[in-house]
Amino acid sequence: KEIALSFSVKSRSGQGLNHPLQEAARKKLWALENDDKDVCTLFKELSARLVCIQAQEDRFLLSFKTIEEIWKFSTYLALGYVACCLEHLLFNPAYWLNCALVEDTEITVTIDEDRMATMYLGLLLQEGNFFARAVLDVLTEEEDEDLKLYKNELVHVKDIGHDAKWEGTSLSTDQRGLVTVTAIEPLPHPFYQWFLKNYPMTCGTATQIDGSDSLQIGQGRCRATVDHRRTEWDELSFCKGDVIEVQGFLIPGLQWFVGKSVTTGTTGFVQTKYVHPETDEQIRKSPVFFSEKEVASFLQVPCNGSETHYSSLLCELAQTDIASVYRLDGFEPVAVFSQTPSDAVVQGLKDGWTLQGWGRQATNNLPTPSDSEMSTLDGESSSSPTESLLLPEPDDLDDPKFFIDLNAGHMEDSDVFDPILSFLNQDGYVAHFQGLYDISFSFLSSTFYGFSNEEELVLYLETSRNWAKKSHLAWAHVRICFLLGRLCVKRAKFSQARVYFEEAMSAMDKGFEDLPLLTSLYTNLAAIYLKQKMKQKFLSVIGKVAALMAGLPGHCFSSENELEVMLYILREAIAAGNTALEVRASFLVVRLFLQLGKYDEVLPFAEHLQFLCAGLSSQGSGALSLGTLPILSYLYDKKYLPHIALASARLYSPSSTTGAPTPIWKAGFILKNATKLLKVQERSCSIPAVACYYLNCAQAFSHEKRMVSTERALCAVLSKMYLKHGVVQAAVHYSNRAVALGKVMSEEEAFESSLSLGWMYALNGQLEKASEMMLGLLRSLRQTDSVTQDGVVHNLLAITLKGEGQVQKSAENYLWALNKARETGNKRNQAVALSNFGCLALSCGANHLAECYFLQAVRLYFEFQGGDDAQMELVQVLLWLAQSRVERSKSEESKLFYELALAVALMSRNVMSQLHAVESLCHFYSKVCPNTDACIVYHEHQLSLAQQLQDREMEGQLLQVLGQLYQSLHTTRSLKRALDCTKQSLRIFIDLGETVKTAQTWLQAGRLYYQMQEEELVEMYLQAAIQTALKPGELHLAMNLYEEAGDVFFNGIQNRQKAVEYYRGGAVPLARKLKAMRTELRVFHKLTELQIGLQNYEKALEFATLAARLSVDVGDQLQELVAFHRLATVYYFLHMYEMSEDCYLKTLSLCSPSLQGAQEAMYYSRVYCRLGNLTLHKLKDEQDAASYFLLALAAATELGDQAWQGKIQEKLAQICNASQWNKGTRGWTTYRARWLSEGRHAV
């Protein structure tokens, strides 16, 4: 089964489709249809299987094989990941560099939810083992084996092969029996199926948790509706009308909540059925499921990575070697994405593009150095430890410590235990108790010392317990029992732990003064009851446990076993349909899993929590944002799901909550994960374009917070990114900002930033500004002894001066830079300086001198082991050297350097360098030193590079060229290869929507089939070419294609008559419709020539006559001459010799009176010879023939061709010998020719 996923690209501001982007996305899909590897990888990560791409409909066809796949995909769809991932897939760097466009654009995806639900249900039934909810009461048992059910009760059903009834197990009563299929309905969300199967419970359903349709959680005050006297010490007594203040949350569906009597000031459990909101103003019901402190602590989980980590990452990316490494003139890899439209980006900078929530982009309002020193953000310090999730850290970090003295004499002395008993007997909670309650058992090292093993500590605590009982120290007694119970749990002695916990509970009478202790006791007891399957005891406490754990914010986990209790509460919330409790329980489960470091297990719960929160937000509930996305981003990154991790981080909106990840964290995380998705062509740029918008957000944030160092790093990163993508103006903008910030920081930072800005100016053609900046930097270096920096500035100044045309000054600065590099012994800088000298010499036409410098540079490059940048420079220098040799006509030497450049590029595995080298070799073997075989070899390699770069347009063009090269070999094998290349390019051009190229490629395929003599396919491809042009109404293109299709037959030797239908039936009507007279004339010429070749002289006369008339209308004398010449030829073949003679004379009259050159003399001579032969042999007029031959001889004399003159003289001699001249023929012949040409009766 398949399901369609459709997408549309919308504009937020326009509130409708963004048609240009939609079309761009569709074109990208066309390109991906034939190479869907990236799409398959993406959907595999999204837990779906790609069936096919339907680009024309803007959709994908997907399939699912398992319930887990549907569960994962539907979750990702609901969380917005699918739309984000499609944005990564469909848009190119030009889109991501336009921040305003990114901010305004959103992709919406739609899927048939009913069909997906049907697929889900089908897979459940196929599996035959799932959880369902009763849709009606089944109270009467038709048979003894039937199961009694109540409406909405959960039941686990299994297929036993019976059509009408399945085996069911009630989750409430654990009873088994047969269930009618029509009485149940599977749980709709796959998460519930997975959760209930993987975390089964055995204690049935608690009556203290009910379902609730309300999402409202109560906070504030309520009023008692009845009198109540407590039956347990922990319950609150109150009278009707008393005002009770809710402690924490009052969650609908729970039997209990913790309340405080405003009248008496006491705190205890209150049943929700006994109270009613006092007034709408005094009790606030809202969908706020988390307190601000909970959110803050939740967001500070160490796994997310600290702000400092990502700030350091940005600083590393901002580093540049411009202050130590010379730059090669004309070689900055800014053309990797040459098609990036920078106008929109630059216009956005000019307009002062703003980021929502972070104010205007950086202005000139710079912080002072004192601001800079004080600009450390809380987020930049290291993350708080795991304990920050539990309780506030104590103000005094020096906790009291107690020495464990097990001396027999001391054990009987109560004074020995006074310190520990006094410490533990304090009323209520104090901060020093945090170590006693936390899940890490930190009291073992922070509170007690001097014991060799835990058995000694247990003995010490047992003795302390006895003294506490004897001394009636209730709080000390309770806390010691609690510690003993925890130690037993740690050693898996659950029965003994239960005894201690129950003793603590029985001794407690003021538990609400130490809520963390009370909560820990209840939860630990409940966990043990659950583990030991003590159903009655467990059900008696779970209601209060749920009120404490879910109702009180900031719960402190003290045991891993509490997880089972939380999972039970979550299951009950699901069973009861209590969404509010489900959210709270999911939140606590996620917190505990994270605290335990169980990152693999937490992911489904974290996704479900985000799913629930997203659902509430979509309902417009205004719930406090929890911020699960940063944690999810980390978890996806840990599982190496880069697309989803990137989508999750992009969807996270930084908030002002204390400790929440900032835009700097977001930008750093996106940079880290986006790098994993880089294509080959982007790998030379370590800063992916997809991070541009988020880097800008981070830059605006750091400016607002006066974080000078971070803002400068971000500006430098943005400048590098824009430069690598060819948007030099934007790079200049951010370099300017970095210079201003660098001056605030230090001289070193200011120098490096200024140097980068000067280089940007030079690349952007702002040479005057670049020179001014370099001269200023040179002046600043006079007081220093930095030789390398001095050389760097001189080298950049020389490049700038060369651009300004100041050759002499440029050479002086290059020489200075070269000497500085030699002084420091830096061979790379020496090589760059020599190469720049070579470029300067080359620009002056001194090729020999340039070669000397280039050769010296090449030797230096080979002497040291450089990195990728040095290898790219070497390739460029070798290409310059080869080109210089070409200009000096040294083809063999130039070939050697071209091939050496390619070899270096291959060794360094640099795709872009290989591409540049192989392009030069292709040009060399096609234009300079033609060699078809070599040209094919290098074009094939260039094709493989284009495929690596995933540049479909380049790939299509190269396939087209390769097809033509193979065609030129004229062998059966080469024609087949040419056809294969042509068909591949055809598919690409169709995918790219290139109408003209597609049509031309259809036509080329038809030509190849004609050459291969596969006649049945020729016309099919030719018609396909024509139809490609006619469908979009490209009439000019269709007219040219009709003519070219006719040319296929016209220029061939088979079926030449088929050219007529393309010429006469297609090209001529379109030419007349478009008033393309020259095209029409050209086609008539071809038709005339074709009919002459086919000996259809009557048809030829028709077309020749039309051509002659049309040539007169066109007004082109040359075309008229050609038309009448061809018409004369047709008359000759039709034996209409006088008309032929007249037309020949007409052609001669169209020539200039005086001969214009050798070609015209030859034409005169040959036409007069033709006329002489015609009148002599056909018209039998010897006198006219002699006159024509004399004129031909005169033209031949002008030509100076002795052989040709000899042939004409022989003709004249024959005429002279045959008859004697009795009269002057000259005037008569002239008169006759004039009469014929004036009559033009045949024409």
Side-chain angles (χ1 to χ4, degrees), residues 809-851:
K809 290 184 178 180
S810 176
E812 291 172 2
N813 280 278
Y814 276 140
L815 182 59
W816 193 280
L818 179 60
N819 290 333
K820 293 292 182 182
R822 285 172 175 167
E823 186 178 338
T824 58
N826 190 316
K827 290 187 177 181
R828 179 179 175 183
N829 285 349
Q830 292 177 49
V832 173
L834 287 166
S835 300
N836 287 339
F837 256 127
C839 283
L840 184 64
L842 210 58
S843 67
C844 297
N847 287 7
H848 182 72
L849 181 61
E851 289 174 19

Side-chain angles (χ1 to χ4, degrees), residues 676-865:
K676 299 174 184 177
L677 304 179
L678 288 179
K679 306 295 183 189
V680 177
Q681 73 268 29
E682 293 174 305
R683 287 176 188 159
S684 61
C685 175
S686 57
I687 308 163
V690 71
C692 178
Y693 173 78
Y694 307 99
L695 288 169
N696 273 285
C697 291
Q699 188 260 333
F701 172 80
S702 59
H703 175 73
E704 181 184 317
K705 298 296 181 181
R706 295 180 174 268
M707 300 162 62
V708 179
S709 175
T710 304
E711 185 183 359
R712 181 196 168 274
L714 283 161
C715 286
V717 169
L718 282 163
S719 179
K720 285 177 68 176
M721 181 193 67
Y722 280 118
L723 179 63
K724 289 289 185 180
H725 287 88
V727 192
V728 186
Q729 283 181 272
V732 169
H733 172 83
Y734 285 102
S735 284
N736 256 315
R737 180 69 184 165
V739 169
L741 292 163
K743 290 177 180 177
V744 175
M745 295 175 63
S746 67
E747 290 185 6
E748 183 179 350
E749 302 290 347
F751 176 82
E752 185 176 290
S753 299
S754 299
L755 201 58
S756 295
L757 178 59
W759 180 228
M760 300 295 170
Y761 279 141
L763 292 173
N764 199 37
Q766 298 172 272
L767 300 177
E768 187 176 342
K769 285 187 176 181
S771 297
E772 183 182 343
M773 182 154 284
M774 296 305 166
L775 289 170
L777 290 173
L778 281 178
R779 286 193 293 270
S780 70
L781 288 172
R782 289 175 184 171
Q783 307 301 322
T784 66
D785 56 354
S786 178
V787 178
T788 300
Q789 290 182 346
D790 198 33
V792 166
V793 178
H794 275 291
N795 181 67
L796 293 180
L797 179 58
I799 292 173
T800 306
L801 291 170
K802 179 199 165 190
E804 292 178 333
Q806 302 184 46
V807 177
Q808 182 65 35
K809 290 184 178 180
S810 176
E812 291 172 2
N813 280 278
Y814 276 140
L815 182 59
W816 193 280
L818 179 60
N819 290 333
K820 293 292 182 182
R822 285 172 175 167
E823 186 178 338
T824 58
N826 190 316
K827 290 187 177 181
R828 179 179 175 183
N829 285 349
Q830 292 177 49
V832 173
L834 287 166
S835 300
N836 287 339
F837 256 127
C839 283
L840 184 64
L842 210 58
S843 67
C844 297
N847 287 7
H848 182 72
L849 181 61
E851 289 174 19
C852 293
Y853 286 126
F854 286 145
L855 285 170
Q856 291 181 59
V858 169
R859 290 191 191 97
L860 286 169
Y861 274 117
F862 278 115
E863 285 178 11
F864 74 94
Q865 295 295 324

Side-chain angles (χ1 to χ4, degrees), residues 281-298:
E281 291 78 20
Q282 290 174 311
I283 183 164
R284 180 168 59 90
K285 283 194 170 186
S286 68
V288 178
F289 299 98
F290 323 102
S291 69
E292 291 186 8
K293 288 185 178 179
E294 279 183 316
V295 173
S297 63
F298 186 70

Side-chain angles (χ1 to χ4, degrees), residues 916-930:
H916 293 150
V918 81
E919 282 175 350
S920 299
L921 278 163
C922 290
H923 178 268
F924 177 80
Y925 281 114
S926 62
K927 302 294 183 183
V928 180
C929 188

Side-chain angles (χ1 to χ4, degrees), residues 357-394:
W358 298 114
R360 188 165 291 277
Q361 281 280 71
T363 63
N364 293 324
N365 181 23
L366 292 173
T368 62
S370 59
D371 295 327
S372 162
E373 293 166 8
M374 300 173 65
S375 64
T376 55
L377 187 68
D378 292 340
E380 287 191 322
S381 60
S382 59
S383 295
S384 56
T386 307
E387 286 77 8
S388 66
L389 290 175
L390 310 174
L391 294 168
E393 294 186 2

Side-chain angles (χ1 to χ4, degrees), residues 201-357:
M201 301 294 174
T202 56
C203 286
T205 303
T207 57
Q208 293 94 333
I209 299 176
D210 299 322
S212 173
D213 295 332
S214 174
L215 295 175
Q216 304 297 318
I217 288 183
Q219 289 179 294
R221 292 183 174 187
C222 54
R223 188 176 296 276
T225 57
V226 296
D227 294 333
H228 176 72
R229 292 292 172 264
R230 68 181 185 181
T231 57
E232 300 287 342
W233 70 268
D234 55 4
E235 295 178 12
L236 183 66
S237 296
F238 48 81
C239 299
K240 182 178 180 180
D242 283 355
V243 177
I244 299 172
E245 188 174 345
V246 177
Q247 303 294 294
F249 303 123
L250 192 161
I251 300 176
L254 288 186
Q255 182 181 356
W256 301 92
F257 71 95
V258 178
K260 180 179 181 180
S261 173
V262 175
T263 306
T264 63
T266 56
T267 303
F269 288 111
V270 180
Q271 292 195 52
T272 53
K273 65 182 180 180
Y274 294 153
V275 297
H276 189 271
E278 184 177 13
T279 64
D280 290 338
E281 291 78 20
Q282 290 174 311
I283 183 164
R284 180 168 59 90
K285 283 194 170 186
S286 68
V288 178
F289 299 98
F290 323 102
S291 69
E292 291 186 8
K293 288 185 178 179
E294 279 183 316
V295 173
S297 63
F298 186 70
L299 292 172
Q300 291 175 4
V301 177
C303 69
N304 288 330
S306 67
E307 207 83 2
T308 304
H309 169 74
Y310 288 114
S311 294
S312 301
L313 173 65
L314 292 169
C315 289
E316 287 176 15
L317 288 173
Q319 290 177 359
T320 175
D321 60 1
I322 195 167
S324 58
V325 177
Y326 291 4
R327 291 296 185 260
L328 190 62
D329 183 18
F331 182 73
E332 180 72 29
V334 297
V336 177
F337 302 98
S338 56
Q339 297 179 354
T340 299
S342 61
D343 293 345
V345 179
V346 176
Q347 188 61 41
L349 297 173
K350 290 179 180 177
D351 294 342
W353 170 73
T354 57
L355 291 158
Q356 293 180 0

Side-chain angles (χ1 to χ4, degrees), residues 420-457:
I420 184 65
L421 293 176
S422 298
F423 171 67
L424 295 178
N425 201 48
Q426 296 180 72
D427 290 340
Y429 174 80
V430 294
H432 293 300
F433 291 159
Q434 178 179 327
L436 303 178
Y437 305 154
D438 64 38
I439 197 170
S440 61
F441 289 86
S442 58
F443 69 88
L444 293 176
S445 57
S446 63
T447 308
F448 301 100
Y449 69 99
F451 59 94
S452 57
N453 54 57
E454 289 183 11
E455 292 295 337
E456 294 182 0
L457 178 60

